[in-house]
Amino acid sequence: MPSAEFQKHLCVSIHDVAPATWQLCQHLIEAVNAVANIPLTLLVVPAYHGDSRDMPWYDRELARRLALGDELALHGYLHLDQGPPPRGLRQRYARHVYTRGEGEFAALTELEAAQRLALGMQWFACRGWPLQGFVPPAWLLGDGGWRALRASGLLYTTTWRHFHFLQHAAPVEAPSLVYSSRNAWGRALSRQAVRWAALGQRNAPLARLSLHPRDALDARTVRHVQHLLATLLASRVPATKAAFARDWLDSLARPAVGGIAV
């Protein structure tokens, strides 16, 4: 564990970043900035739903966010589940109902996952952008995906419940605060669930607020995000996911004096 002096962190991420979703992503960025100008982690999908066209305007927008201090992380390559048919009701629900068929890395073999990762990493490299993290679409990562990811050289990944370091450190339990936006009653229930989940995590070293483009479509959800963000920032240091990973690992590496890391 890190030292008792380790400051509690907040990571705010925007998922499913792509040309097709950029307008909604911008709305979320503006909503966050209206509360505080904090660094964000943008989870980028290079060929979202199969669209791999180069769009210079979009590259300029991402480069601008990078220059402002945001992090760009890889969020799959296609954001589509093209794996073998699911086995059993649990897999069918997870892969085709809950995630709407977007859990790209849920059932890939190690070779397939490695190929998708290589394509995504090459997309970043061609633009000269740093890449330290990967978040699987819908937070679904099968055994093959895990093996490929651990061999990728990346620093971290996250699942719904944990922040994972890909080299030599135990994961940090940090369930993501995430909204459901499929219908009005679901949005109302999820706002209440997020509020209670945030209260339950008030002493945790890391809080993760995960936003999706569709959240921008509901004004009540946006206002709830802003209120929650202000509350979390009153006691937490905002950081990108990569910055949190470095801070956590640095804290673990500090020598201990009298049993306490310094």
Side-chain angles (χ1 to χ4, degrees):
M1 291 294 293
S3 73
E5 303 302 319
F6 185 83
Q7 291 182 292
K8 295 186 296 183
H9 282 56
L10 168 66
C11 291
V12 179
S13 60
I14 298 179
H15 289 229
D16 308 348
V17 175
T21 65
W22 184 247
Q23 186 175 1
L24 294 176
C25 293
Q26 276 191 312
H27 186 63
L28 292 175
I29 292 170
E30 291 165 2
V32 169
N33 287 343
V35 178
N37 187 11
I38 63 173
L40 304 172
T41 297
L42 305 184
L43 305 186
V44 179
V45 188
Y48 185 71
H49 290 185
D51 187 353
S52 59
R53 293 174 295 169
D54 287 336
M55 299 191 184
W57 67 266
Y58 173 66
D59 286 3
R60 287 193 296 270
E61 290 291 340
L62 291 187
R64 186 173 70 87
R65 297 310 311 175
L66 192 61
L68 289 170
D70 290 346
E71 175 195 4
L72 306 180
L74 182 61
H75 189 42
Y77 186 68
L78 299 172
H79 212 281
L80 286 175
D81 184 349
Q82 297 176 324
R87 291 178 294 179
L89 290 175
R90 183 174 180 180
Q91 274 197 18
R92 189 175 297 114
Y93 176 80
R95 290 175 55 194
H96 292 298
V97 179
Y98 177 71
T99 66
R100 302 181 186 179
E102 294 192 312
E104 180 180 4
F105 279 70
L108 296 179
T109 66
E110 182 177 356
L111 177 59
E112 291 168 336
Q115 290 171 338
R116 300 284 178 94
L117 287 171
L119 287 170
M121 294 169 76
Q122 182 182 29
W123 188 88
F124 271 75
C126 286
R127 290 157 175 77
W129 294 342
L131 177 61
Q132 300 182 74
F134 171 85
V135 177
W139 292 300
L140 294 179
L141 193 58
D143 291 341
W146 273 112
R147 290 192 294 270
L149 194 54
R150 292 197 181 280
S152 69
L154 294 173
L155 176 64
Y156 74 85
T157 190
T158 57
T159 55
W160 174 78
R161 192 167 184 82
H162 291 92
F163 194 109
H164 298 266
F165 308 94
L166 294 173
Q167 307 296 330
H168 313 305
V172 174
E173 185 171 357
S176 190
L177 303 172
V178 59
Y179 294 86
S180 171
S181 301
R182 294 189 180 185
N183 50 52
W185 68 266
R187 290 191 292 270
L189 286 175
S190 76
R191 289 192 292 268
Q192 186 69 8
V194 166
R195 175 174 170 273
W196 283 108
L199 285 172
Q201 298 177 37
R202 58 187 175 274
N203 295 320
L206 173 63
R208 294 163 50 207
L209 177 56
S210 301
L211 306 177
H212 290 78
R214 63 180 181 268
D215 295 333
L217 297 172
D218 183 64
R220 288 187 178 181
T221 297
V222 171
R223 289 194 296 270
H224 194 277
V225 166
Q226 291 176 314
H227 178 75
L228 177 63
L229 181 60
T231 301
L232 292 169
L233 287 172
S235 60
R236 292 181 177 275
V237 175
T240 65
K241 290 188 174 186
F244 167 75
R246 291 192 298 269
D247 287 351
W248 184 267
L249 294 174
D250 285 348
S251 182
L252 293 179
R254 291 175 195 149
V257 176
I260 299 177
V262 297

